[in-house]
DNA sequence: CGCTAATTTGAGTGACTTCAAGCACAGTGG
DNA sequence: CCACTGTGCTTGAAGTCACTCAAATTAGCG
């Protein structure tokens, strides 16, 4: 977590990410730009911890972050990932609550930190921005509700297929149809909400059924519609 | 679903509910007041259905509404309840998505409908109101994340205990320590995310352990800290 | 109308099945 | 070499099925 050699320019990030900041005027954007601090975080670093007070939020300029909660017995439940263009920590800032999740670096990342005051000020100054922010939160809330229903009603097999498709949407496939994200079986299990061994067994079942191919952590997706059928989508 | 005999006054609702509308100026409040339409809905009525387009949101003036999603095989997953002072449907309005849940009346209700345009206008005019709305959404999002972790990691027994405590917080107990909400065992199961029979069995276990007493749908909570221990809270 | 009869709905039980977790251990590869 | 992957085996939690019983609704009918 050392300071950034050359600050990333917000404008570039905007182009990459969702439309959250597109409604800011040039001087509002500059306001955020001037007040931000950027750092590089290596794999394994914890950006913030469940229970911490966060007084600002982070924009992901590069890298991958996993956002998770720690359950009663120490088991992680991965809630979402954040990649270039996403923002993290804004929930706790807005609701003025303690962080309810932990954010850990999966792939070396570069993050900009923007103080919460600036966020509140921008909401005050620019209602279009406020609306974008609300829409982002509402979208996440909808996703969360979907996931609750899935996890409550679907089998592990169905959920794993669904997660694979979700990862495909989020991180996409390379030219060899291989998922552009490297996760351990345990991390997969912590997304699906199951045991590591179950993920291992089911992945080799999917492989036997010709839906995927495996080489270590590389997962090649061969049959999307097959997986969709398994996932009941 | 007949029109209301005498319109409830928004001011009264504000006093009852959370602080969402407290930052509105008198004329902004009047704006909402003038544009609202109120109706009475009997038990069993569906206010809106998953997949519907909603062009406004509802304030609950009286009664209880259950908000749920329908899973692949038709099984309900109850996401939350809304009672006096709560608002429903605002998520879909803000995110401009189709409703991702169904809202059904559990106890005869009186609801005010306020067009989405007014909501957007108020957000535009009043940034304090916008912030309140964001905080509400963020809070719900935090709750949803907690529930995901619970349902993924806790046993049915633990979850049922937790839900009983949640119901106690939401609807409170009467003078006999009986939960002031009447749910079928199936509805309880649809909250916990389990089978009806499992709820029945576990409830009688809790009864045998002296945590609760049962008379039909009436549930008397005898030992809160016992339930908290069961729920791992 | 009023009073059964008939049907529906929800609660509860027992027997059985199955999914998936847990444990122990063996490779393996970065 | 240690963390990660993979496999076999066992066990338990919870789902499913089939059924009874009680209460509540509705229908039927003199």
């Amino acid at each position: 977590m050392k300071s950034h050699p050359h600050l990333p320019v917000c404008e570039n990030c905007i182009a990459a990410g969702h439309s959250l900041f597109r409604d800011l005027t040039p001087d509002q954007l500059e306001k955020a730009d001037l007040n931000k601090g950027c750092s590089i975080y290596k794999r394994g670093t914890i950006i913030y911890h469940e229970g911490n007070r966060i007084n600002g939020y982070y924009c992901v300029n590069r890298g991958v972050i996993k956002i998770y909660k720690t359950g009663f017995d120490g088991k992680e439940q991965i809630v979402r990932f954040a990649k270039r263009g996403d923002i993290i920590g804004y929930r706790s800032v807005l609701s003025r609550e303690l962080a309810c999740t932990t954010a850990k670096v999966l792939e070396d990342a570069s993050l900009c930190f923007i103080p919460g005051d600036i966020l509140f000020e921008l909401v005050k100054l620019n209602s279009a921005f406020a609306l974008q922010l609300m829409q982002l939160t509402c979208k996440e809330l909808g996703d969360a509700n979907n996931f609750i229903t899935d996890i409550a009603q679907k089998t592990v097999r169905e959920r794993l297929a669904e997660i694979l498709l979700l990862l495909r949407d989020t991180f996409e496939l390379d030219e060899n149809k291989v998922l552009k994200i490297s996760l351990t079986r345990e991390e997969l299990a912590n997304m699906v909400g199951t045991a590591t061994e179950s993920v291992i067994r089911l992945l080799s079942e999917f492989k036997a059924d010709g839906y995927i191919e495996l080489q270590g952590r590389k997962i090649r997706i061969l049959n999307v519609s097959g997986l969709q059928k398994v996932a009941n989508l």
Side-chain angles (χ1 to χ4, degrees), chain A residues 14-25:
Chain A
I14 294 169
H18 35 62
S19 43
L20 179 59
F21 296 103
R22 68 159 182 220
D23 289 312
L24 293 184
T25 63

Side-chain angles (χ1 to χ4, degrees), chain A residues 140-154 159 162:
Chain A
E140 265 194 64
L141 184 55
D143 291 344
N145 284 339
N146 281 330
F147 194 55
I148 287 172
T149 311
D150 276 0
I151 213 164
Q153 298 192 359
K154 290 189 174 180
R159 266 142 56 201
E162 198 170 347

Side-chain angles (χ1 to χ4, degrees), chain A residues 116-136:
Chain A
D117 300 345
I118 304 288
L119 186 64
F120 285 115
E121 209 177 318
L122 290 177
V123 166
K124 212 167 276 178
L125 288 172
N126 188 327
S127 66
F129 172 73
L131 266 175
Q132 289 290 345
L133 195 51
M134 274 184 211
Q135 276 175 31
L136 178 63

